Amino acid sequence: MTVPPPKDLSETAPSSTLSNVELSVDGAIKTARIINPIKDERSLKPSVADLTVSEPVTADKISEKLEIYGGAIVKNFLSHEITDKIWSDISPHFKKRTWNGDFFPQQTTRVTSIVTKSKTVCEEYMCHPLYMEVAARFVGKKNTFIIGQDLTTAYSEPQHNSSTTLSIGPGATNQPFHRDDIIHHNIRKYREKYEYGYETAIACCLAHNKTTKANGATRFIPGSHLWDHQRIPQEDEVVYAEMEKGDAFFMLASCFHGGSANTTKDEYRNQSFLFMTQGHLRPEENIFIETPMEYFETLSVQALKSIGLAASQPYCGWFRDLEDPLHVVKPETLTGDDQFENTFKIVE
């Protein structure tokens, strides 16, 4: 048997976008032109007050803002005490790193995988009841499946996608506009109004100090979650997510956004970003390799589910012989009626 030489398998993969793009190279300059762009001139210009959820804050109110704008601000999402506790847990992990790209300015420092560095992040932030309910609406998945002669219903709850604390220092420049759902190759279609079921991730951003346009507040483009995949964002469409300490900015990953320039002399914009994704998708950040089992054992059952250390129904993310890894970390969760528990019985 003759084995053919290796080839670039990417050339065999289908594309949902490249068929509408013309690529060209002129010397060192590479350009791309959209062949048949969709005409869409919708531009929303809400104020920060328009984005802010009124009291009493509910998941319904947050969801309504997200449907319309793709973003929502919640005042006093976490108390100053909890916000400061998260900062004290995370800040010792800041290290000066050299970033050779242009996606993050040199003046931006960051700590990644903060769910593994602070139990407070897990229990008080990630598992906040409002965030859990909103995330369930946008990235939770519930479906029915035929298995043999039975109709089985399964719910895949949201899981941790990535968690980072960012500090933007004086002199930082604008971050390029981007959508965070590009990691899941999520292809956005032009829509007149929001439709549930197509979102792959949702973010919650916690302000550790006063966040302003001057010190680097997130540049967010309201309504861009309804745009076609290939519409290009412009600076004049921006709203700055300005917040006070303890406030939170909810944002769909399908929205264009980016950190903004810090034009101050001595202020830092300190914020913690926590993304949740669908339970059956690969998370952006791999938090399991470096995290000792002992840390996971200290977390609550809900935190373990949200962090992604539990099987997603019906059978995604199992361990060994179709065991739910949650039962390995927390044996007391074995109930006798779990679909994984009775699949295999190990005979001694």
Side-chain angles (χ1 to χ4, degrees), residues 17-25 30-37 230 232:
T17 57
L18 287 176
S19 60
N20 197 37
V21 176
E22 181 180 78
L23 304 174
S24 61
V25 180
K30 299 179 180 179
T31 61
R33 182 180 69 87
I34 298 172
I35 299 171
N36 296 303
Q230 293 170 324
I232 299 173

Side-chain angles (χ1 to χ4, degrees), residues 33-54:
R33 182 180 69 87
I34 298 172
I35 299 171
N36 296 303
I38 292 177
K39 187 174 179 59
D40 179 13
E41 298 178 348
R42 293 174 297 175
S43 183
L44 300 179
K45 291 296 179 68
S47 65
V48 171
D50 293 327
L51 295 175
T52 302
V53 180
S54 63

Side-chain angles (χ1 to χ4, degrees), residues 108-124:
T108 295
T109 54
R110 60 199 176 279
V111 178
T112 58
S113 306
I114 64 173
V115 291
T116 68
K117 298 174 175 68
S118 170
K119 283 186 63 179
T120 306
V121 168
C122 289
E123 305 290 0
E124 304 292 342

Side-chain angles (χ1 to χ4, degrees), residues 231-257:
R231 176 173 165 178
I232 299 173
Q234 304 298 328
E235 287 290 344
D236 62 2
E237 297 172 303
V238 160
V239 170
Y240 291 85
E242 297 184 305
M243 295 185 287
E244 301 289 336
K245 177 179 174 180
D247 294 351
F249 177 54
F250 286 69
M251 184 189 69
L252 300 179
S254 54
C255 282
F256 277 109
H257 68 286

Side-chain angles (χ1 to χ4, degrees), residues 1 55 79 99 190 252 299 320:
M1 173 177 150
E55 295 284 350
S79 69
W99 175 261
Y190 172 95
L252 300 179
L299 299 180
R320 285 191 308 222

Side-chain angles (χ1 to χ4, degrees), residues 4 38 50 75 99 107 148 162 187 243-244 267 274 284 311 317 336:
I38 292 177
D50 293 327
K75 305 295 291 182
W99 175 261
Q107 296 82 358
S162 66
I187 309 302
M243 295 185 287
E244 301 289 336
E267 294 182 24
L274 180 54
E284 177 178 359

Side-chain angles (χ1 to χ4, degrees), residues 47-314:
S47 65
V48 171
D50 293 327
L51 295 175
T52 302
V53 180
S54 63
E55 295 284 350
V57 177
T58 65
D60 285 341
K61 290 181 179 180
I62 297 173
S63 299
E64 183 180 15
K65 298 282 188 187
L66 292 175
E67 291 172 16
I68 299 170
Y69 303 117
I73 293 174
V74 175
K75 305 295 291 182
N76 303 309
F77 179 69
L78 292 180
S79 69
H80 284 197
E81 180 183 5
I82 294 175
T83 302
D84 287 342
K85 179 64 169 65
I86 291 173
W87 181 254
S88 67
D89 288 346
I90 301 303
S91 55
H93 296 277
F94 275 106
K95 296 180 177 64
K96 185 64 178 176
R97 294 182 175 90
T98 300
W99 175 261
N100 295 321
D102 56 6
F103 190 72
F104 290 109
Q106 292 287 339
Q107 296 82 358
T108 295
T109 54
R110 60 199 176 279
V111 178
T112 58
S113 306
I114 64 173
V115 291
T116 68
K117 298 174 175 68
S118 170
K119 283 186 63 179
T120 306
V121 168
C122 289
E123 305 290 0
E124 304 292 342
Y125 185 8
M126 181 175 62
C127 292
H128 191 290
L130 270 177
Y131 191 22
M132 288 181 62
E133 184 172 346
V134 172
R137 295 184 182 201
F138 285 90
V139 296
K141 303 283 282 187
K142 186 174 184 179
N143 284 296
T144 57
F145 308 93
I146 298 295
I147 301 179
Q149 300 295 310
D150 298 324
L151 187 63
T152 301
T153 300
Y155 169 59
S156 176
E157 69 177 79
Q159 67 174 331
H160 169 268
N161 189 47
S162 66
S163 51
T164 305
T165 298
L166 292 167
S167 181
I168 298 180
T173 56
N174 283 339
Q175 185 185 33
F177 288 124
H178 60 285
R179 284 167 159 156
D180 282 312
D181 64 357
I182 60 176
I183 64 164
H184 294 127
H185 287 252
N186 201 20
I187 309 302
R188 306 301 303 177
K189 302 296 184 183
Y190 172 95
R191 288 185 171 87
E192 288 292 331
K193 64 178 182 178
Y194 190 76
E195 297 177 24
Y196 282 86
Y198 299 95
E199 210 68 47
T200 62
I202 185 171
C204 185
C205 169
L206 173 68
H208 291 287
N209 61 341
K210 186 178 178 64
T211 300
T212 66
K213 176 181 177 181
N215 70 13
T218 298
R219 286 148 50 247
F220 159 69
I221 300 187
S224 56
H225 62 315
L226 302 178
W227 291 3
D228 175 69
H229 188 72
Q230 293 170 324
R231 176 173 165 178
I232 299 173
Q234 304 298 328
E235 287 290 344
D236 62 2
E237 297 172 303
V238 160
V239 170
Y240 291 85
E242 297 184 305
M243 295 185 287
E244 301 289 336
K245 177 179 174 180
D247 294 351
F249 177 54
F250 286 69
M251 184 189 69
L252 300 179
S254 54
C255 282
F256 277 109
H257 68 286
S260 61
N262 187 332
T263 59
T264 70
K265 292 182 179 180
D266 56 4
E267 294 182 24
Y268 286 78
R269 189 214 75 173
N270 301 324
Q271 294 185 339
S272 290
F273 288 78
L274 180 54
F275 281 83
M276 302 297 285
T277 187
Q278 295 177 14
H280 61 95
L281 292 179
R282 181 176 181 175
E284 177 178 359
E285 189 176 23
N286 188 323
I287 62 172
F288 297 108
I289 293 178
E290 294 183 310
T291 307
M293 181 64 74
E294 291 74 18
Y295 174 75
F296 292 128
E297 290 172 346
T298 68
L299 299 180
S300 66
V301 171
Q302 184 55 59
L304 290 171
K305 289 181 177 181
S306 296
I307 214 170
L309 205 147
S312 170
Q313 295 181 5

